[in-house]
Every structure is written in C-alpha cells, then in structure tokens.
Amino acid sequence: MEKIRVGFIGCGGRAGAHMSSFLEMTDEVEVVAVADPVEERRLAAAEKFGCKRIYKDHTELYDHESKETLDALIIAIEPTAHTDTETRAIEKGIPFLIEKPVHIDLEKAEEIGKKIEETGLITAVGFQDRYLDLMDIIKEELPKHKTGGLVYGAWVGGIPGVWWWQKKSTCGGQLVEQNIHLVDGLRYLYGEPLSVYATCSRGIVRPGVDAKEEYDTDDHSTAVIRFSNNVTATLVSGCYSRGVRPRCGLYITLDDMVLDYRLRNNLIISTPDGEKDIPRGVNQTLLLDKAFIAAVRTGDRSLIRSDYADSLKSHRLAFAANKSMETGEVIYF
Ligand SMILES: NC(=O)c1ccc[n+]([C@@H]2O[C@H](COP(=O)([O-])OP(=O)(O)OC[C@H]3O[C@@H](n4cnc5c(N)ncnc54)[C@H](O)[C@@H]3O)[C@@H](O)[C@H]2O)c1
C-alpha cells in the first residue's frame, strides 16, 4: 500500500494529537512536510517523523509543495490565523482536515465553503466527538423512544493556556471556540436547529488577576436551542472555574430513559430497570484521522462524519448564538 503523504500547517497543541495518530499509522501515512512560525514547534514536529521539508509558515509550504508532493494536509492553527491557508489548498487540489473553528469570520468561512463545493475537494473538520462510540450509542438509542424532551449540555472549566483564548476577538468566545463540539453534537443527534437565544456574562474572572490583562471574553454563556420534534437544549459554557472539575457533557431526558453523557469519558444509561455505565472505548481523534486518510485514499467521502460544508452548519449556529448574546434577540433559522 502506498503511503499517504501528509503535511502539517500548524504544529501546536492540537496538531500534536493528530501527530500521535499518524505515529500509530506509519504503515499507511508518512508525514513529509511541516510548517509553523514557531521554530521549536516545527523542528520538534519534523523530528518526530524524520521529516526534511520544514517551512516557516503556510505560504512557504504552498510555494514549495503541490498535489504531486502532498496527498493531504492537516490545518491546525489559531482561529484568527486563517488567511489563504485554505484557498491555496483548494487551488492546488490538496485535501485537508481542518480544526474547528474553521475561521473567526463566518462570512469568510462561507466563501471558502463555496470554493470547496465548486471544486469537490475532500475535506474533514476536527469534530472528534462524532467518532466516539458513546455518541454512536446515543444516536442509535434516540429513535427507539418517544421524540422530544430536554437536553442539558455543559462545557465548564478554566481558561485554556493558549494566548489567543484571552480575547473574544481572537478566539470567538467559548461557544464558538470550544463548546462548538457540543453544538455540533446536538446537530449530529437532532438535526438542524429552529432557533437559538443566548445570554452571556462577565465579571467573575478578573483581568490581570485570574487571567491575562487583555482578557475580555465571556466568563459564561447560556444558549437555548430549539430543535424540531419538541426537543429543547440548554447549552452552558463557562471558563471561570479553578481547582474544581464541573460536570461537562450532555444530559438527555427521554420519556423512559436518561442518557447521561459525561464528556469524552463515559455514558450512564438509566431506565426503570436500573443503570448501566459504559466507558469510552475508542480514541476518537485516531478514528477521525483514519477516516480522513481512508477517504483521501479511496475517494469515499461517506467515511467523514463532518466535512467543511456540514461543519458550516454548526458554525452558523454558534455564531448565531454569539449574535443573540449581543442583540438579546432570538435568532430563527
Ligand atoms: N478538535 C479538537 O478537539 C480541538 C482541540 C484543541 C484545539 N482545537 C482547535 O485547533 C486549533 C489550534 O489550536 P491549538 O490548541 O493547537 O493552538 P496552538 O496555539 O497551540 O497552535 C497553533 C499553531 O499554529 C501555528 N500557526 C499560526 N499561523 C500559522 C501559519 N500561517 N502557518 C503555519 N502555522 C501557523 C502557531 O504558531 C501555533 O504553533 C484551534 O482552532 C482550536 O480551536 C481543536
């Protein structure tokens, strides 16, 4: 089997998870090019794979690489760093897996989405939770019960260490940057939303004390999302906790069952007959990467659970929630 030749644009934290996948896939993947403006990061990445094509950024990589030298790209850069990072891949016809959020500016993401549609390029987005065995169980279980009900979703914790998380203008806010995983999870389970209303709050995290001086993102937000079939989800996001681990995940109340999904860890299913606790049994990022590589190899896009076009729907919902936070209005789709 010929190895799929992969390049990395961005060698930071999240890229490291994809690199770990490829270290487990050395019989089918060869990382041949890496790019990052931070020298230590690009060198460390190159060393992992014995890779010789090392670039200082995406521009230098695209100036030297083509469809003939690269079969696929992983784009894992800060939300604000998306410039022509994707359009140059599209022009060159190189399939890419891109991390969420795919852009800080939804309009620009829509333009990129159109270009992808016109060319038919294979893409995948880093919504890793779609590849979880626990998500599969929930997705299979839901249609067996009366439709409708309440969902409580939460992603509450501290402030991630990366510099760009401190400002809403560079991270997009927690819902867009982080809790978009559960936004996407809700769409995966319930389909397209009907409406969203959201609020946000600041004042708990003290800039310069609990966070960097420039901190100006929301400490917490709450989004109420209506879906068809009488499903209402309340999704909370919070980044003000310190030294404690609030419960994160989805808590789904059906007429005769409760599905208590503890974020990327386990699923507790309660029925009138008792309780079953199922631990996560897969490495979902590895499955995401395997699906992308298999799609590149075979052309079978059905293996990819969220491509750029599908991911735009989750981004639209998260950005609409942001708009609702600003305007106080309900946004209808
Ligand atoms: N899917 C997930 O579960 C998951 C988890 C964590 C982060 N993420 C997402 O991944 C993205 C990256 O997050 P991170 O934690 O790795 O951030 P990071 O800051 O650790 O890494 C980003 C890297 O991109 C590099 N970079 C910036 N511009 C570049 C360019 N033009 N060319 C090449 N490299 C460039 C930076 O120098 C940096 O090393 C974010 O969008 C984040 O939301 C996804």
Side-chain angles (χ1 to χ4, degrees):
M1 179 165 60
E2 289 227 347
K3 292 190 183 183
I4 298 291
R5 297 159 304 170
V6 170
F8 270 85
I9 293 181
C11 301
R14 181 58 181 160
H18 295 292
M19 288 176 194
S20 298
S21 295
F22 297 141
L23 286 172
E24 289 194 37
M25 298 165 69
T26 47
D27 52 334
E28 51 175 324
V29 173
E30 192 181 359
V31 174
V32 295
V34 294
D36 197 301
V38 181
E39 189 180 16
E40 312 88 79
R41 291 189 183 170
R42 62 178 182 257
L43 291 181
E47 202 185 327
K48 270 187 196 167
F49 298 97
C51 145
K52 300 275 183 292
R53 282 135 65 184
I54 306 168
Y55 303 110
K56 68 175 172 27
D57 60 16
H58 75 285
T59 303
E60 200 176 72
L61 180 143
Y62 286 124
D63 287 349
H64 290 84
E65 303 286 343
S66 67
K67 207 162 111 170
E68 281 66 49
T69 60
L70 272 186
D71 299 309
L73 275 166
I74 305 294
I75 304 177
I77 56 180
E78 300 95 306
T80 39
H82 297 276
T83 50
D84 55 355
T85 21
E86 295 79 45
T87 47
R88 289 200 72 186
I90 300 165
E91 282 155 17
K92 284 176 176 275
I94 307 173
F96 61 85
L97 185 161
I98 184 169
E99 274 305 337
K100 42 50 61 181
V102 295
H103 212 292
I104 196 87
D105 180 335
L106 183 60
E107 269 181 43
K108 296 254 164 62
E110 299 279 6
E111 285 168 19
I112 294 166
K114 275 204 191 83
K115 290 201 170 92
I116 292 168
E117 203 184 320
E118 283 160 18
T119 58
L121 190 72
I122 291 178
T123 58
V125 176
F127 284 127
Q128 52 163 302
D129 304 63
R130 288 198 179 213
Y131 300 82
L132 272 171
D133 47 357
L134 303 178
M135 270 291 169
D136 288 341
I137 296 170
I138 300 174
K139 203 166 166 60
E140 273 167 34
E141 196 60 48
L142 289 178
K144 298 181 194 161
H145 303 264
K146 269 198 192 142
T147 58
L150 295 168
V151 184
Y152 313 107
W155 196 307
V156 185
I159 302 166
V162 285
W163 66 267
W164 43 269
W165 226 88
Q166 302 284 330
K167 293 185 75 64
K168 197 164 184 176
S169 59
T170 50
C171 76
Q174 191 178 1
L175 194 63
V176 162
E177 198 288 324
Q178 190 176 59
N179 214 350
I180 195 163
H181 283 294
L182 289 179
V183 168
D184 184 69
L186 289 170
R187 273 195 53 246
Y188 189 49
L189 296 173
Y190 295 108
E192 301 314 321
L194 302 174
S195 66
V196 61
Y197 169 74
T199 64
C200 62
S201 186
R202 298 180 188 185
I204 305 173
V205 176
R206 296 158 300 171
V209 181
D210 307 313
K212 296 258 164 64
E213 200 67 63
E214 65 268 25
Y215 176 89
D216 73 355
T217 197
D218 307 313
D219 298 341
H220 62 81
S221 71
T222 300
V224 178
I225 309 166
R226 302 269 348 243
F227 291 89
S228 52
N229 298 318
N230 298 313
V231 173
T232 303
T234 306
L235 196 55
V236 304
S237 312
C239 63
Y240 58 87
S241 297
R242 288 187 298 157
V244 288
R245 297 183 66 190
R247 172 96 59 83
C248 299
L250 295 173
Y251 188 87
I252 301 170
T253 307
L254 301 167
D255 56 328
D256 57 354
M257 178 178 276
V258 170
L259 295 160
D260 182 358
Y261 163 61
R262 313 250 173 125
L263 194 68
R264 297 175 185 165
N265 193 59
N266 63 321
L267 171 67
I268 302 169
I269 302 179
S270 307
T271 64
D273 300 325
E275 218 172 72
K276 192 160 74 171
D277 191 346
I278 307 166
R280 174 173 63 85
V282 298
N283 171 348
Q284 66 277 8
T285 293
L286 177 61
L287 295 184
L288 157 71
D289 290 321
K290 278 184 180 269
F292 172 59
I293 294 298
V296 170
R297 185 183 295 288
T298 63
D300 181 359
R301 289 146 200 275
S302 70
L303 302 166
I304 293 169
R305 295 192 175 187
S306 181
D307 62 7
Y308 201 97
D310 182 79
S311 89
L312 279 178
K313 296 176 188 167
S314 294
H315 285 78
R316 282 178 203 134
L317 174 51
F319 278 97
N322 267 4
K323 191 170 172 209
S324 177
M325 288 177 210
E326 281 164 29
T327 62
E329 286 170 8
V330 180
I331 313 279
Y332 294 93
F333 296 99

